Amino acid sequence: MARGGKKTTNTAETLPANTRALGGRAKITINDIARLANVSKKTVSRVINESPLVRQETREKVKAIIAEHGYAPDPQARALAFRRSFLVGMIYDNPSPQYVVNMQRGILDVLADTSFQLVLHPCERSEATFKQKIHTFVSQQKPLGVILPPSVSEDDTLAEMFEELGCEYVRIASVELDAPSRMVRTHDAEGAAQAARHLASLGHEKIAHIHGPKTFRSAHERMAGFKAGLKEHGLSLRKKWTVEGAYTFDSGVQCAEKLIYSDARPTAIFTGNDEMAVGAYQAVRKAGLRVPDDISVVGFDDTPMAARVWPPMTTVRLPIREMGQAAASLLLKEPVEKAGSELVSFTPEIVVRESAASPAKS
Amino acid sequence: MARGGKKTTNTAETLPANTRALGGRAKITINDIARLANVSKKTVSRVINESPLVRQETREKVKAIIAEHGYAPDPQARALAFRRSFLVGMIYDNPSPQYVVNMQRGILDVLADTSFQLVLHPCERSEATFKQKIHTFVSQQKPLGVILPPSVSEDDTLAEMFEELGCEYVRIASVELDAPSRMVRTHDAEGAAQAARHLASLGHEKIAHIHGPKTFRSAHERMAGFKAGLKEHGLSLRKKWTVEGAYTFDSGVQCAEKLIYSDARPTAIFTGNDEMAVGAYQAVRKAGLRVPDDISVVGFDDTPMAARVWPPMTTVRLPIREMGQAAASLLLKEPVEKAGSELVSFTPEIVVRESAASPAKS
DNA sequence: CTGAAAGCGCTTACAG
DNA sequence: CTGAAAGCGCTTACAG
């Protein structure tokens, strides 16, 4: 048995002092495993990285010793040698906390049993240093990949930057912006069309829409789908009933108030997301009116909040957590496996609760 | 000028091929800075790490060259040499998404302009592998430190584990569990007492409390404070009006229904957190009753949701984001600086909105 | 105050 | 299928 370390002058007693971690017991390394298995560290490395170039027998022997000693390779050392860390970044500017937390959960579901960690990188597209900060983040941390929910996902120049930096990415968006292996697509237009059909079939004609910011592609998609749905019923979205919000609660309140206090008050409002829908609820109530008796409200996303407000909100469900899972799965798969596979996509579906009813006869 | 690299046989033209990152331009390293500044790499290292053992003149020269070339040391290489990464972990089991997202924001506020990254580590205290997973996370990733919101923060054996692993930690809790340098303390009892005083002064006598799970110290603190507040007004919390929830919306609905359909219906409910308060709203409405006309509801936390429900909720505000900031600041400060400083603490304050009113005369 | 040597724990590139 | 050498980009430990 080759028991000699590289420093043959060190006795077994003097070695541990060098190898003890801060306050911990001596940490086992690839060298220990190699010595115990009577192979080179390179072979251990091959086993760790699942290289096919290892004899079955050798592989099993090494694996057994790894398991026996509970050895796990050091992520920092691997990162340095690989020039790539074991981190997955989530880069986001979405203002809805529910959206953010659900997506995190989805990603974490997939990362849970891997050696990858989720690192958060919030940002502001309006900041001048927006891209530079992301560039610094990626070139410093060298994550395996990044996951981009809207609206960050919609920025093509950002995608090019990741490409140049050799960083994998998955874009979650309502438009097919990239190769299938880099996309999780949501059919927002179809979801919005369902909302339109629902309101139209309840008998509404005075229908308003509070859409998200123009900088979000989803805002355009949802509006377009909504218009298409109305058209099927011979209706159209009037300009005076089309208001731009910011996907935030406060903007929902303000936009809904604009509609409520206009000369021609609509009987139904479809909002670009649930946050704004809850804002609309607030405005309706402040005005002494009721949902849905006086004004019907339909949201988008089906965040947990939608079922918790009163009346429970009719909204279009986007499976955000599952989308996060899908994005993380795409990132972790080998390029070979996902090549040729079709696009991963999700079609939202309307969840009918109690915030939309037939308009009062007036 | 010493222009020779270590491989003097390489010409300037052949070097870049070795030093190019995946798809990127040649990356500048500590060796380049050392060569350009005409000092050893060790001296550059000293400047990076702000060692006082560098002559002012030398320091400035090196700093200028670092700035000129936009050099930033490689975090993975530093982590390997330091045996400590540039990550900050947030280890949490709090079921409230709003709480989680607000705390993340607070932490990120502080980490934003540093070289530290926030890594998420959700967990389940009920799982058998709970501690083992955290142990693996910490010993693998070697974060600079971890931030522990309740209820993870309340586990003393966990704190000991971090100590043994040589990992810094900050515990956010409603009880003084640790040294001031490792604690962000919240005076939950005082906040709950304010809720009690408020309800008592409105004239309520039949007052119920839906508290959080017994595994959360905050649940005990809030209940104790609430009882103390009631006592000041000659009131006491009756056992039949004391129900244990799980800090979740659903448990709030169930517990409130138990109270509503009991023989003796209370006129006011104080819940251990806002999630459960919103659940109580739901139960009240399902029963055909109104908040606050039939039953007053007071929450705890003042998450964004509290102001968005109808009627806007009276609740006890805990500055969660600021608590996250405080915890991150504690973690990043040098041990010397924070030693001797007093305990960082936050006292919650009641926010009076519209969900609590005087009970109807019956 | 400064530097040359050795090392952190892995992988790449090369050779057999 | 396997291994010895060199290297990833930093810091520690030691010497001056």
Side-chain angles (χ1 to χ4, degrees):
Chain A
M1 297 303 152
R3 293 215 76 262
K6 77 175 65 172
K7 290 186 171 180
T8 48
T9 53
N10 271 318
T11 67
E13 284 72 24
T14 60
L15 273 171
N18 289 330
T19 50
R20 272 177 201 283
L22 299 175
R25 69 204 105 185
K27 198 176 146 192
I28 186 162
T29 74
I30 196 172
N31 290 310
D32 301 314
I33 301 296
R35 180 167 39 75
L36 291 164
N38 233 320
V39 296
S40 74
K41 63 205 272 192
K42 179 61 223 177
T43 296
V44 179
S45 173
R46 285 195 182 94
V47 172
I48 293 168
N49 293 296
E50 304 197 312
S51 157
L53 302 177
V54 181
R55 204 160 37 124
Q56 186 62 21
E57 196 192 337
T58 313
R59 179 190 311 284
E60 277 163 13
K61 180 173 65 179
V62 173
K63 278 199 168 170
I65 290 173
I66 286 175
E68 183 191 342
H69 294 266
Y71 165 72
D74 183 297
Q76 276 78 36
R78 297 183 84 193
L80 180 58
F82 269 139
R83 296 152 187 81
R84 191 135 302 293
S85 72
F86 288 81
L87 303 175
V88 167
M90 170 170 163
I91 303 180
Y92 59 99
D93 67 337
N94 198 303
S96 161
Q98 292 286 4
Y99 188 100
V100 169
V101 114
N102 283 344
M103 181 135 300
Q104 288 175 1
R105 283 191 182 151
I107 298 170
L108 287 163
D109 287 339
V110 174
L111 300 190
D113 296 314
T114 71
S115 50
F116 292 96
Q117 302 294 324
L118 177 59
V119 175
L120 260 31
H121 190 89
C123 60
E124 279 293 343
R125 271 177 100 176
S126 55
E127 276 182 15
T129 54
F130 163 68
K131 286 179 83 171
Q132 187 226 306
K133 280 185 180 171
I134 295 177
H135 190 282
T136 304
F137 170 67
V138 170
S139 49
Q140 286 276 300
Q141 300 301 325
K142 305 174 203 71
L144 166 86
V146 291
I147 292 174
L148 313 165
S151 73
V152 175
S153 64
E154 296 158 357
D155 190 325
D156 286 327
T157 65
L158 218 48
E160 282 168 31
M161 192 177 85
F162 296 125
E163 179 84 60
E164 277 175 28
L165 289 169
C167 175
E168 298 280 331
Y169 62 83
V170 173
R171 304 164 79 170
I172 299 167
S174 50
V175 192
E176 194 169 340
L177 301 161
D178 218 308
S181 62
R182 296 170 155 182
M183 276 293 303
V184 168
R185 160 93 129 101
T186 58
H187 296 284
D188 293 30
E190 170 51 25
Q194 288 180 33
R197 287 177 207 127
H198 182 65
L199 287 172
S201 62
L202 284 171
H204 289 278
E205 295 182 348
K206 301 180 190 169
I207 301 178
H209 179 42
I210 302 176
H211 62 264
K214 284 184 191 140
T215 49
F216 279 61
R217 294 289 288 262
S218 62
H220 293 95
E221 289 299 308
R222 290 172 192 184
M223 179 149 63
F226 191 63
K227 282 181 178 171
L230 289 179
K231 202 169 183 181
E232 293 171 18
H233 288 260
L235 299 171
S236 65
L237 183 62
R238 310 266 298 265
K239 187 149 193 186
K240 64 175 175 185
W241 287 329
T242 310
V243 195
E244 176 172 345
Y247 274 159
T248 62
F249 172 80
D250 288 336
S251 71
V253 176
Q254 287 160 23
C255 293
E257 281 177 346
K258 253 186 240 168
L259 293 167
I260 291 169
Y261 298 110
S262 68
D263 342 322
R265 176 186 298 166
T267 60
I269 302 177
F270 169 58
T271 64
N273 72 354
D274 285 353
E275 291 277 325
M276 295 197 296
V278 178
Y281 267 55
Q282 184 94 312
V284 169
R285 271 151 170 166
K286 270 193 193 162
L289 303 173
R290 285 172 306 172
V291 175
D293 311 67
D294 299 300
I295 297 188
S296 289
V297 174
V298 174
F300 202 108
D301 280 350
D302 193 27
T303 55
M305 198 170 45
R308 293 174 192 186
V309 290
W310 193 269
M313 188 195 295
T314 294
T315 185
V316 178
R317 175 171 150 73
L318 212 45
I320 299 171
R321 183 168 180 169
E322 287 85 338
M323 286 155 52
Q325 292 174 348
S329 298
L330 270 182
L331 218 47
L332 296 194
K333 261 174 219 149
E334 296 299 321
V336 210
E337 287 183 43
K338 59 191 181 191
S341 74
E342 67 274 50
L343 183 67
V344 179
S345 75
F346 292 88
T347 301
E349 276 191 33
I350 192 162
V351 179
V352 176
R353 285 195 275 250
E354 299 164 33
S355 64
S358 293
K361 311 288 171 195
S362 57
Chain B
M1 299 301 150
R3 294 216 76 261
K6 77 177 68 174
K7 291 185 174 183
T8 47
T9 53
N10 271 318
T11 67
E13 284 72 23
T14 59
L15 273 172
N18 289 330
T19 50
R20 270 176 201 286
L22 299 175
R25 67 203 107 183
K27 198 176 143 193
I28 186 163
T29 73
I30 197 173
N31 290 309
D32 300 316
I33 300 297
R35 182 166 38 75
L36 291 163
N38 232 321
V39 296
S40 74
K41 63 205 272 195
K42 180 60 225 179
T43 295
V44 179
S45 173
R46 286 197 180 91
V47 172
I48 293 168
N49 293 296
E50 304 197 311
S51 158
L53 302 177
V54 181
R55 206 163 33 129
Q56 186 62 21
E57 195 192 337
T58 313
R59 179 191 311 283
E60 277 162 14
K61 181 173 65 179
V62 173
K63 277 198 169 172
I65 290 173
I66 286 175
E68 183 191 341
H69 294 266
Y71 165 72
D74 182 296
Q76 275 78 37
R78 297 183 84 192
L80 181 58
F82 268 139
R83 295 152 188 83
R84 193 134 302 290
S85 72
F86 289 81
L87 302 176
V88 167
M90 171 171 162
I91 303 181
Y92 60 100
D93 67 337
N94 198 305
S96 161
Q98 292 285 5
Y99 188 100
V100 169
V101 113
N102 282 344
M103 181 136 300
Q104 288 175 2
R105 282 191 183 152
I107 298 170
L108 288 162
D109 287 338
V110 174
L111 300 190
D113 295 314
T114 70
S115 51
F116 292 96
Q117 302 294 323
L118 177 59
V119 175
L120 258 30
H121 189 89
C123 60
E124 279 292 343
R125 269 176 102 178
S126 56
E127 276 183 14
T129 53
F130 163 68
K131 286 178 83 173
Q132 188 226 305
K133 280 185 179 170
I134 295 177
H135 189 281
T136 303
F137 170 67
V138 171
S139 49
Q140 287 276 300
Q141 300 301 325
K142 305 174 203 71
L144 165 85
V146 292
I147 292 174
L148 313 165
S151 73
V152 176
S153 64
E154 296 158 358
D155 190 325
D156 286 327
T157 65
L158 218 49
E160 282 168 30
M161 192 177 85
F162 295 125
E163 180 83 61
E164 278 174 28
L165 289 169
C167 175
E168 299 280 330
Y169 62 83
V170 173
R171 303 164 79 171
I172 299 167
S174 50
V175 191
E176 195 171 339
L177 302 161
D178 219 311
S181 62
R182 297 171 155 179
M183 277 293 305
V184 169
R185 159 92 131 103
T186 57
H187 296 284
D188 292 30
E190 170 53 25
Q194 288 180 32
R197 286 177 206 128
H198 182 65
L199 287 173
S201 62
L202 284 171
H204 289 277
E205 295 182 348
K206 300 180 191 172
I207 301 178
H209 177 43
I210 302 177
H211 61 265
K214 285 183 193 142
T215 49
F216 279 61
R217 295 289 288 261
S218 62
H220 293 95
E221 289 299 308
R222 290 171 193 184
M223 178 149 63
F226 191 63
K227 282 181 177 171
L230 290 178
K231 202 170 183 182
E232 292 172 17
H233 289 259
L235 298 171
S236 64
L237 183 62
R238 310 266 298 264
K239 190 151 191 184
K240 65 175 173 186
W241 287 329
T242 310
V243 195
E244 176 173 345
Y247 275 159
T248 63
F249 173 79
D250 288 336
S251 71
V253 176
Q254 286 159 23
C255 292
E257 281 178 346
K258 253 186 240 169
L259 294 167
I260 290 169
Y261 297 111
S262 68
D263 344 320
R265 177 185 297 164
T267 60
I269 302 177
F270 169 59
T271 64
N273 72 354
D274 285 353
E275 291 276 324
M276 295 198 296
V278 178
Y281 268 57
Q282 185 94 313
V284 169
R285 269 149 172 167
K286 269 194 194 163
L289 303 172
R290 285 172 305 173
V291 174
D293 311 67
D294 299 299
I295 298 188
S296 289
V297 174
V298 174
F300 202 108
D301 280 351
D302 194 28
T303 55
M305 198 171 43
R308 294 175 193 184
V309 291
W310 192 269
M313 189 195 294
T314 294
T315 185
V316 178
R317 175 171 148 74
L318 212 44
I320 300 172
R321 183 169 181 169
E322 286 85 340
M323 286 156 50
Q325 292 174 348
S329 299
L330 269 182
L331 219 46
L332 296 194
K333 262 172 217 148
E334 296 299 323
V336 212
E337 287 183 43
K338 60 189 180 190
S341 74
E342 68 272 52
L343 182 67
V344 179
S345 74
F346 293 89
T347 301
E349 276 192 33
I350 192 161
V351 179
V352 176
R353 284 194 276 249
E354 298 163 34
S355 64
S358 293
K361 310 289 171 195
S362 56

